[in-house]
Amino acid sequence: MTASAVEAAERPAHRDPNVLRWLGAYTASMIGDSIYFMALAWAAARTGSASGTGLVLAAGSLPRALLMLGGGVLADRLGPRRVVIGSDAARAVLVLVLAAILVLTAPTVGVLVAVALLFGAVDALFLPAVGALPPRISTPGQLARIQGLRALATATGGPSLAFAAAGVLFALSLPLLLSLRIRPLPEPETSGEASDAEKTPSAWNDLVGGLRYIRRHSLLGPLMLVIALSELGFVGPLNLGLILLSEQRGWGAAGMGWIVAGFAGGAAGSALLLAVRGRVPRAGLVMCLMALVGAVGIASLPQVPTVAHAAAIAAFVGLTAGLAGALCGALVQTAADPAYLGRVTSVSTFFTYAIAPLSYPVTGAAVALWGTGPVFVVSAAVCAAGGAMGLALTALRRAELPR
């Protein structure tokens, strides 16, 4: 390897043009994602049917639940960049077509459900693949910093214009993705599961082999359990519970905006910390402790009297949960064999984007029966259980990031 190649390999992630191209593409896609979901909800609400609106918003979770694990297999088989480029192009076409439909005519619930199903299916391919890209564009020592940059990007006229904007952003990410330089995978370990995967070309065997690899791995198995508990406890109260809390307290949309801004600010702060430092000592222990401390903040949210107090607590929760989530992502990417990273990422995103949203109806029903206070306490207990489980498992508690 030449001196220039060594220097490029050791370049910090925030100064690496290859990483910055990936970050630009990821940021454009995530902003497009957010615009798409807001525009979809807006268009669904304008149909005038409350039940239809709920059906449209729930429709996208079904293909994610069914196809997410298969998306991880596809990312490992074809390479994550190919899958990301193909799925991003499909998302751009889909939302631009819907934008045109909205300009020409009023959409029906059926049309919006069909779009949500198609978009959810494409998302099930995109999410595992985009999560598997970082180890292919940088060195292991920079993966924690990349997770911080990724989290920082995430924090950071009518529905037809909104869909058009989302489609344009998806399209803008394509040239950045096409310009990425992909690092070759290291040779698989002959004694591990990777050698078995090479001998079994069946997609089903690949999927089963990936799940078996996670289950037998001393660190990845416990990490997936922590992710599952944390997401189940976190998503319901923070996404739906805060809306219901704001309605109950009479804080309105402005109050909700301050709370969301506080959470985003805290999450951005934790992401910036990790992006600058690049490595947190005793990452497994810090991740578990942040999950426990953040759970205390979640439980206290419905107890505060004013919007200002709620926004401050939301910032605290964003800081602790954001740091825990970024460290968790970095540990997943550094611990997983690169040949399995698409499948490993698909399992972690499966809990986040497919299973956790199913808690929305449960959260809404529980708030209607018992109020926000008890529901937030139970949700915090579930999050705390994830952190406590991590502390109880030696492999996770002692996990470190590469230097």
Side-chain angles (χ1 to χ4, degrees), residues 39 43 97-107 112 158-161 163:
V97 168
L98 183 56
I101 293 174
L102 289 172
V103 170
L104 298 175
T105 184
L112 295 177
S160 59
L161 292 177
F163 277 118

Side-chain angles (χ1 to χ4, degrees), residues 71-142:
V73 172
L74 196 64
D76 285 337
R77 282 180 155 240
L78 301 182
R81 185 174 67 164
R82 290 183 183 179
V83 179
V84 168
I85 291 172
S87 55
D88 235 11
R91 297 196 304 174
V93 171
L94 185 60
V95 297
L96 288 173
V97 168
L98 183 56
I101 293 174
L102 289 172
V103 170
L104 298 175
T105 184
T108 64
V109 170
V111 169
L112 295 177
V113 166
V115 170
L117 288 171
L118 289 172
F119 194 92
V122 177
D123 247 8
L125 305 181
F126 172 82
L127 292 168
V130 78
L133 265 177
R136 307 289 293 272
I137 61 174
S138 189
T139 57
Q142 295 300 315

Side-chain angles (χ1 to χ4, degrees), residues 16 36 44 116 173 176 186 205 234 238 261 285 305 309 332 369 377 379 389:
D16 188 340
Y36 160 77
S173 70
L176 294 170
N205 286 338
F234 188 82
L238 268 296
L285 177 62
H309 288 93
V332 167
L369 285 173
V377 168
S379 297
M389 175 183 292

Side-chain angles (χ1 to χ4, degrees), residues 235-307:
V235 169
L238 268 296
N239 288 355
L240 179 60
L242 281 179
I243 297 174
L244 300 176
L245 177 64
S246 295
E247 289 181 353
Q248 289 181 0
R249 297 293 179 85
W251 292 339
M256 181 65 190
W258 281 109
I259 296 172
V260 171
F263 178 80
S270 67
L272 184 61
L273 172 66
L274 191 58
V276 171
R277 284 186 59 88
R279 183 180 185 274
V280 175
R282 308 193 70 177
L285 177 62
V286 173
M287 181 197 76
C288 297
L289 291 176
M290 288 299 100
L292 287 172
V293 174
V296 176
I298 293 174
S300 63
L301 268 171
Q303 313 302 328
V304 298
T306 67
V307 171

Side-chain angles (χ1 to χ4, degrees), residues 13-39:
H14 60 283
R15 297 178 183 175
D16 188 340
N18 203 39
V19 172
L20 294 178
R21 284 191 291 269
W22 170 84
L23 183 65
Y26 178 80
T27 302
S29 291
M30 290 300 101
I31 295 174
D33 240 3
S34 299
I35 294 174
Y36 160 77
F37 283 112
M38 288 187 291

